[in-house]
């Protein structure tokens, strides 16, 4: 049996994770067509949970299908759609399916989706969901005190937005997630290694950097137009104007986007405290395997998963 995602992080390997949005389909083959190109390339693959507040193939089922096909998933859990009873049931379902890695998120508001009149639940927030999963793992009990059968051997994650920290800034939200049980963090897009360096330095000052594995979100840009959209529409995104200008002046924007992404990952791999990167490509899934392959070929020590 090979090393798990958690094993690789513990061993100090620079991890490369990717993301797949389950299709709006009842055909498992459509999911696998998106995920299988990442097999042997990504150290783990995120399965989103109702991304954009839109329905897709159920995330727990999608993650289970990845396990069955030899791909280690990171299952995203959002608080938007289910109350605590349903969330606890899905945690048990994930454990039974062999899904260990969980990323706890609030979830987009239904007003952002294709059925804006849908009723949001938000019975728990991301911190409370982390705490629920941690206690289920560590005590073998539901919050009600009822014992569970089997073992829920979870590796728990949360999300954060890297910022250029102003004087006096403290990572209070991230600290709360750490205290609730987070062991790793995947962040929003940050294509500025300088910002990441200063963000990580502040986390180190606050005594957090050595307690969490931090993976920075990166994106292979397709065009200057899409870069502007990501920067303006996706909260917390950091994309320097200079990169958008490079995309604008490129003869082959897609190739330039991959070059920029590879350069950024190379810089991030040298930032103290960074455990890896999380490659996401909105509406551009086909680019992710190419980016990860290119990164592994160009950065020493990343050749093998």
């Amino acid at each position: 049996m090979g090393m798990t995602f958690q094993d690789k992080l513990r061993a100090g390997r620079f991890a490369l994770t990717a993301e797949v949005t389950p299709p709006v389909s009842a055909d498992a083959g459509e999911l696998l067509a998106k995920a299988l190109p990442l097999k042997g390339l990504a150290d783990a693959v995120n399965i989103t949970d109702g991304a954009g507040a839109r329905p897709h193939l159920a995330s727990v089922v999608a993650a289970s299908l990845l396990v069955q096909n030899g791909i280690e998933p990171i299952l995203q859990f959002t608080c938007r759609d289910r109350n605590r009873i349903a969330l606890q049931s899905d945690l048990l379902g994930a454990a039974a399916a062999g899904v260990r890695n969980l990323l706890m998120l609030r979830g987009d508001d239904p007003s952002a989706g294709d059925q804006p009149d849908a009723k949001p639940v938000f019975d728990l927030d991301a911190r409370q969901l982390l705490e629920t999963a941690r206690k289920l793992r560590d005590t073998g009990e539901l919050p009600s005190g009822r014992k569970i059968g089997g073992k829920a051997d979870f590796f728990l994650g949360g999300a954060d937005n890297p910022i250029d920290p102003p004087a006096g800034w403290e990572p209070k939200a991230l600290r709360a997630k750490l205290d609730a049980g987070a062991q790793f963090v995947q962040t929003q897009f940050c294509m500025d290694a300088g910002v990441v360096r200063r963000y990580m330095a502040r986390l180190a000052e606050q005594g957090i950097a050595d307690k969490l594995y931090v993976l920075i979100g990166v994106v292979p840009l397709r065009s200057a137009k899409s870069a502007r959209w990501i920067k303006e529409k996706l909260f917390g995104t950091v994309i320097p104007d200079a990169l958008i200008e490079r995309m604008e002046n490129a003869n082959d924007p897609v190739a330039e986007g991959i070059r920029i992404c590879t350069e950024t990952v190379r810089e991030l791999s040298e930032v103290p405290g960074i455990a890896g990167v999380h490659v996401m490509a909105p509406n551009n899934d086909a680019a992710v395997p190419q980016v990860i392959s290119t990164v592994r070929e160009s950065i020493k020590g990343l050749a093998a998963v």
Side-chain angles (χ1 to χ4, degrees):
M1 183 177 177
M3 296 176 74
T4 66
F5 172 56
Q6 184 177 10
D7 291 337
K8 292 170 186 176
L9 292 174
R10 284 177 171 170
R13 292 196 186 182
F14 190 81
L16 302 175
T17 60
E19 187 165 287
V20 167
T21 299
V24 185
S25 174
D27 182 354
E30 292 189 34
L31 169 74
L32 296 176
K34 300 174 74 172
L36 285 174
L38 295 165
K39 185 175 180 178
L41 284 177
D43 293 301
V45 176
N46 283 48
I47 290 292
T48 63
D49 184 14
R54 290 170 168 80
H56 303 92
L57 175 66
S59 56
V60 173
V61 173
S64 176
L65 288 167
L66 262 60
V67 171
Q68 293 170 26
N69 284 273
I71 302 171
E72 185 173 3
I74 299 173
L75 173 58
Q76 297 186 185
F77 265 86
T78 62
C79 301
R80 177 192 58 235
D81 304 321
R82 292 156 288 188
N83 67 11
R84 66 191 67 192
I85 297 171
L87 286 167
Q88 290 163 33
S89 296
D90 280 350
L91 286 171
L92 293 174
V99 177
R100 298 182 63 252
N101 310 307
L102 308 179
L103 184 74
M104 307 312 200
L105 303 168
R106 180 182 184 274
D108 300 315
D109 193 272
S111 62
D114 58 358
Q115 299 176 62
D117 294 331
K119 185 176 181 180
V121 179
F122 297 120
D123 187 21
L124 302 178
D125 60 25
R127 183 193 60 77
Q128 292 169 321
L129 184 53
L130 272 166
E131 196 165 57
T132 298
R134 176 180 60 81
K135 289 181 177 178
L136 193 153
R137 178 194 65 197
D138 294 347
T139 69
E141 295 180 352
L142 296 173
S144 65
R146 185 176 181 181
K147 286 286 186 181
I148 67 167
K151 188 176 181 181
D153 190 18
F154 295 138
F155 183 47
L156 301 175
D160 199 38
N161 295 328
I163 65 168
D164 207 342
W169 176 81
E170 296 182 13
K172 294 179 180 178
L174 186 56
R175 186 182 298 280
K177 291 177 183 178
L178 171 64
D179 292 343
Q183 297 163 278
F184 72 94
V185 169
Q186 290 174 312
T187 79
Q188 181 58 284
F189 299 118
C190 188
M191 301 294 286
D192 188 325
V195 168
V196 172
R197 192 176 293 275
R198 292 186 288 275
Y199 162 77
M200 290 304 301
R202 186 63 60 86
L203 295 189
E205 289 172 7
Q206 294 289 316
I208 289 179
D210 60 348
K211 297 176 182 176
L212 283 168
Y213 299 107
V214 179
L215 291 91
I216 301 296
V218 295
V219 53
L221 301 167
R222 281 192 305 170
S223 65
K225 181 180 178 181
S226 67
R228 290 192 190 93
W229 185 91
I230 291 169
K231 183 173 183 176
E232 294 168 5
K233 301 296 185 181
L234 300 184
F235 178 77
T237 293
V238 177
I239 300 179
D241 290 338
L243 296 189
I244 297 176
E245 186 175 345
R246 273 183 64 178
M247 293 296 294
E248 200 142 42
N249 295 330
N251 293 325
D252 184 343
V254 172
E256 185 69 8
I258 291 173
R259 273 193 294 272
I260 288 171
C261 193
T262 303
E263 291 168 9
T264 303
V265 174
R266 186 181 296 112
E267 289 183 73
L268 291 173
S269 71
E270 298 172 356
V271 175
I274 296 298
V277 295
H278 181 47
V279 185
M280 300 171 279
N283 301 314
N284 191 23
D285 288 341
V288 177
Q290 184 178 356
V291 168
I292 294 179
S293 179
T294 301
V295 166
R296 289 198 182 280
E297 290 171 3
S298 65
I299 300 179
K300 186 177 180 180
L302 293 186
V305 170

